[in-house]
């Protein structure tokens, strides 16, 4: 990345290297610091603001901070990196897994570049902090919920942690639906004046337009279709995603859910059970045989043939949750992904392995599917699921 940016900005290599290091530090602490943000930051450096930290700090803060938690952590990280103050204790202030992906990786059709793989699969503890038995940092006062949100699902081994993660996943789906609904109503407000209807209404008032009529966009509601890989390689993640899917079906007006392994199973009726525990129990009866191999291509062929026409309309996002390991022919998966792409608005592929250190999409099935994927994103913890909301809001 540094070579490409260097070609566009007449800065010394040392300044570019230092900024790249700062962007990596921010990513390590949960910030969304991608190529676009780094390029804008280089423009700030080129303007001469780097010579005065008092001007550089607010400029970079406005670029890299998109959440309240970012604003709270930024100053300490800035002081540590640019002013060399408290570097030892500030490099890991968030309690998040080192090098964990803070946001989403967008994969457009035909793209294969993934840059450096600096993703982590372990939760590490920084120096100079006292950590309680529950994994909570006393120095930070981080809440148990925040720790669970940033912990990889496969590291949740205690029953109480798993149970809490299940509840948080379901609550996340509910809050996501509420925020998306508010954004949709906000977009509809303040539309253009409907002159014809306003004039028609004014007749009753002697031609005085006392009642203004505005045009309303009649958008179709966002529909989510979730296909969850329930094979053996996904065992450590599927239980949490089932609770997330239960929350989606319980709170989204239009949603459908499927699981697949060697075959595809429609589980929406089971997950619409109001009691989450009974819903999962009903689903487990339907999905007998899970935990074996995976035939993603054959499962998508079943979906395209028997369910796609009923489930998909012009504002449908198909969300596939899988590690991409397909025991069937990779070309079959590519063919079915192409057919699915022609039907729906967006395809989001959530892969828990993106959150693992050193991961690259080398599986043949994953490579065959990527050209038809609009969003290729991590799904290894609750924080990564939260990052789906801004993407869904743009559909």
């Amino acid at each position: 990345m540094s070579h490409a940016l260097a070609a566009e900005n007449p800065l010394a290599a040392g300044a570019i290297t230092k900024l790249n290091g700062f962007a990596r530090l921010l990513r390590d602490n949960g910030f969304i610091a991608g190529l676009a943000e780094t390029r804008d930051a280089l423009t700030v450096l080129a303007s001469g603001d780097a010579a005065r930290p008092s001007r550089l700090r607010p400029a970079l803060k406005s670029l890299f901070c998109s959440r309240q938690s970012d604003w709270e952590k930024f100053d300490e990280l800035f002081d540590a990196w640019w002013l060399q103050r408290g570097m030892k204790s500030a490099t890991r202030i968030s309690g998040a897994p080192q090098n964990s992906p803070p946001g989403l990786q967008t994969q457009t059709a035909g793209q294969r570049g993934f840059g450096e793989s600096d993703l982590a699969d372990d939760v590490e503890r920084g120096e100079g902090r006292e950590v309680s038995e529950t994994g909570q940092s006393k120095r930070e006062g981080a809440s148990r919920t925040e720790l669970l949100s940033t912990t990889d699902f496969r590291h949740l081994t205690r029953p109480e942690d798993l149970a809490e993660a299940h509840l948080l996943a379901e609550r996340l789906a509910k809050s996501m639906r509420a925020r998306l609904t508010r954004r949709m109503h906000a977009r509809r407000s303040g539309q253009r004046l409907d002159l014809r209807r306003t004039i028609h209404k004014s007749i009753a008032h002697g031609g005085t337009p006392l009642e203004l009529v505005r045009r309303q966009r009649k958008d179709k509601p966002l529909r989510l279709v979730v296909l969850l890989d329930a094979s053996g390689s996904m065992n450590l993640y599927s239980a949490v995603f089932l609770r997330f899917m239960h929350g989606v079906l319980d709170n989204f007006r239009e949603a459908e859910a499927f699981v697949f392994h060697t075959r595809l199973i429609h589980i929406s009726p089971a997950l619409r059970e109001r009691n989450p525990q009974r819903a999962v129990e009903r689903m487990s009866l339907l999905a007998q045989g899970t935990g074996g191999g995976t035939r993603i291509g054959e499962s998508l062929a079943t979906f395209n043939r028997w369910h796609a026409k009923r489930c998909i309309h012009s504002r449908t996002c198909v969300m596939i949750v899988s590690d991409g390991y397909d025991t069937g022919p990779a070309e079959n998966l590519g063919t079915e992904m192409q057919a699915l792409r022609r039907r729906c608005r967006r395809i989001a592929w959530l892969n828990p392995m993106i959150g693992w250190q050193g991961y690259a999409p080398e599986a043949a099935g994953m490579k065959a599917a990527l050209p038809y994927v609009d969003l290729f994103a991590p799904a290894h913890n609750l924080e990564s699921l939260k990052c789906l909301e801004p993407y869904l809001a743009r559909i």
Side-chain angles (χ1 to χ4, degrees), residues 33-74:
L35 181 60
E37 291 82 5
T38 307
R39 182 179 287 113
D40 291 341
L42 278 173
T43 303
V44 172
L45 289 180
S47 67
D49 285 337
R52 299 181 60 183
S54 61
R55 297 181 62 185
L56 180 63
R57 182 195 301 270
L60 295 185
K61 195 171 188 177
S62 63
L63 281 175
F64 290 114
C65 296
S66 57
R67 297 166 295 189
Q68 182 179 352
S69 59
D70 296 344
W71 285 86
E72 294 170 351
K73 295 182 290 188
F74 182 87

Side-chain angles (χ1 to χ4, degrees), residues 2-3 5-7 9 11-21 42 45:
S2 60
H3 296 297
L5 294 176
N9 290 272
L11 287 174
I16 296 176
T17 301
K18 191 167 183 65
L19 181 62
N20 282 338
L42 278 173
L45 289 180

